[in-house]
Amino acid sequence: MTTTTAPEPNTAGQTAVQTFESFGLDARILRALSDQGYTTPTPIQAQAIPVVLLGKDVMGAAQTGTGKTAGFALPIIQRLLPLANASASPARHPVRALMLTPTRELADQVYDNVARYAKHTDLRSTVVFGGVDMNPQTDALRRGVEILVATPGRLLDHVQQKSVNLSQVQMLVLDEADRMLDMGFLPDLQRIINLLPAQRQTLLFSATFSAEIKRLAASYLKQPVTIEVARSNSTNENVRQTVYQVEDGHKQAAVVHLLKQRAEQGLSRQCIVFVNSKIGCSRLARHLEREGINASAIHGDKTQTERMQTLDGFKSGTIDALVATDVAARGLDIPDMPCVINFDVPYSAEDYVHRIGRTGRAGASGDALSIFVPGNDERLLSDIEKLIKRSIPRGKLEGFDPTGEKSRQDDAERRRQRGDLRRARGNGDEERPRRHEHSGSRQVFRPSDDPFFSRPYEPSASSSQVKPSEEIAAALSRGRQAPKRPVAALLGGVPRKS
Ligand code: AMP
């Protein structure tokens, strides 16, 4: 196995700056790169492109955001160019390159890149993934494509329907192979690989080289060249990592605080917030919405259309906080992501590396902020620190007011100044929460809000001692004065007691 880790230094001891022209890429590809505004190859491109052009197998370790898609797509397009033709006959356009990815979003993204890089050529490409109608995919496959991007399950559906033939595949890419294994795709991968000619070029990319990945590589790669742009499991130096210690019931408030603080500091509010579970993901998105932050959840139970709409909304800036589970967020290409927040510490330390790889891309700087609950997350955090071989600095949430006590005091002070308090005393209103009047940053309560779905705060550390009715009252008066009288009437159907 050959290993290449860095471009060769020149005689002056400096690393030679490479250009896309120096790889001998076709003028049509260079034109597409110039349309994209790419001027210089990224390190993974500098290493992968010449090796793939030579037809060698590759085992590549590259974090997301390093430009690895162009690292494999450009040389594949170059190698297929002699076969490009404008014939209308499907027989003249068999699948020659197959790119497999673990998620629908990544498949769509890889396809989008391939289509851009090949746009001035006669090579055809398409993408197939589950969760959407098969018929348009079948039509595209039957017309014939040289480059097919697919998720494993849907590809096998098409194979079964005989809408695709893989017997002429010359190049196979396994993108984010570690995640494909994590998601249980190994049997599907084996079935697909059995359908391919044994004589082919195979490129395997993975953020980490676990023992399983090495086993997979040993089965399917022939004398691969190993390419690493950064130590596997390492994190990007451009990303400022911080951990904030928060009590369990205050995590949602902490995320709101961090997002609002960033906005106050003039930093971008746009952020991906990672949550470990689908239900937690929806719950947090709803909570952020109620706090006046444009948020949307993206997880595996959302339909493909919903996921695409959310992603488009995020990319166009109408959504500030993309609340996501790992599977949904894997490989999403969101340029210039300024901030990632871990609402939950991930169960797997490797997921931490992936998550924070969403920021600090292409040389930009970014923030990776993690909420940490002492007692719950210590072991997970220490696993992460072991994996990334550094300790993550602990931060302080300046001005954090998890129970809203401070803003209630500010509110009361304002009312006192306006003479409201005297009036309130006169009509016995003193103890009653003023449901539609609270500090500017908080939202007006809407009866449609679901108090169970987004428990906003725990009034005390001993939340387990809080009676259910008090919880509901606390939820209904979220961010406002805690009611001293039952608010059950607001829920409907419960007799009002004054
Ligand atoms: P990837 O790691 O392939 O998902 O790429 C991350 C981002 O970098 C994508 O938005 C690419 O369009 C962009 N990119 C890839 N290669 C280059 C390059 N050579 N110059 C500038 N941007 C690039």
Side-chain angles (χ1 to χ4, degrees), residues 20 33 36-42 44-45 63-72 106 109 113 117 331-335 361-362:
F20 286 109
L33 293 178
Q36 286 298 111
Y38 297 180
T39 51
T40 316
T42 65
I44 184 87
Q45 291 162 5
Q63 295 174 47
T64 37
T66 53
K68 76 175 148 68
T69 315
F72 61 77
L106 185 58
Q109 240 166 246
N113 285 358
Y117 304 146
L332 293 183
D333 176 20
I334 297 156
R361 304 171 97 184

Side-chain angles (χ1 to χ4, degrees), residues 88-91 93-95 111 124-128 133-149 158 163-165:
S89 161
H93 301 277
V95 179
Y111 163 68
R124 296 180 181 179
S125 54
T126 196
V127 60
V128 300
D133 188 1
M134 276 182 86
N135 292 331
Q137 298 178 354
T138 305
D139 293 345
L141 291 172
R142 293 223 164 114
R143 280 195 297 275
V145 290
E146 280 83 11
I147 305 174
L148 173 59
V149 186
H158 282 290
S163 38
V164 64
N165 180 328

Side-chain angles (χ1 to χ4, degrees), residues 57-284:
D57 282 5
V58 166
M59 179 150 163
Q63 295 174 47
T64 37
T66 53
K68 76 175 148 68
T69 315
F72 61 77
L74 298 177
I76 285 178
I77 294 169
Q78 173 76 24
R79 297 198 67 209
L80 291 179
L81 273 179
L83 300 163
N85 66 88
S87 164
S89 161
R92 299 283 313 279
H93 301 277
V95 179
R96 310 266 187 192
L98 175 64
M99 300 173 179
L100 295 176
T101 76
T103 66
R104 305 155 181 188
E105 284 80 10
L106 185 58
D108 202 37
Q109 240 166 246
V110 169
Y111 163 68
D112 186 59
N113 285 358
V114 167
R116 285 166 200 261
Y117 304 146
K119 72 176 179 183
H120 299 301
T121 77
D122 283 326
L123 292 171
R124 296 180 181 179
S125 54
T126 196
V127 60
V128 300
F129 48 73
V132 292
D133 188 1
M134 276 182 86
N135 292 331
Q137 298 178 354
T138 305
D139 293 345
L141 291 172
R142 293 223 164 114
R143 280 195 297 275
V145 290
E146 280 83 11
I147 305 174
L148 173 59
V149 186
T151 52
R154 179 52 67 94
L155 177 62
L156 285 171
D157 293 342
H158 282 290
V159 167
Q160 207 160 13
Q161 282 200 355
K162 303 208 178 343
S163 38
V164 64
N165 180 328
L166 301 176
S167 64
Q168 294 194 58
V169 169
Q170 302 167 358
M171 283 170 261
L172 168 69
V173 179
L174 302 173
D175 197 10
E176 306 222 344
D178 50 339
R179 177 52 51 139
M180 284 203 259
L181 296 189
D182 287 353
M183 291 169 72
F185 280 136
L186 188 58
D188 284 355
L189 281 184
Q190 277 162 342
R191 284 180 61 201
I192 292 167
I193 292 172
N194 285 343
L195 300 168
L196 309 180
Q199 192 60 37
R200 59 163 197 274
Q201 181 180 18
T202 306
L203 316 175
L204 179 153
F205 291 89
S206 173
T208 51
F209 285 165
S210 63
E212 285 152 301
I213 287 292
K214 287 182 180 150
R215 267 200 298 279
L216 187 76
S219 322
Y220 297 123
L221 274 60
K222 289 187 195 119
Q223 299 179 320
V225 176
T226 299
I227 292 174
E228 281 184 83
V229 287
R231 199 180 65 239
S232 51
N233 302 330
S234 68
T235 51
N236 188 335
E237 296 297 329
N238 300 338
V239 179
R240 284 179 301 268
Q241 301 176 57
T242 314
V243 169
Y244 297 99
Q245 183 170 319
V246 169
E247 279 178 47
D248 203 2
H250 297 160
K251 286 171 65 171
Q252 292 186 339
V255 172
V256 172
H257 178 82
L258 285 170
L259 291 174
K260 290 191 172 170
Q261 195 180 46
R262 288 181 66 79
E264 278 161 19
Q265 289 168 352
L267 298 169
S268 167
R269 255 194 184 195
Q270 276 228 314
C271 184
I272 304 188
V273 187
F274 283 98
V275 180
N276 287 352
S277 70
K278 292 178 204 167
I279 188 151
C281 186
S282 300
R283 203 175 274 178
L284 180 64

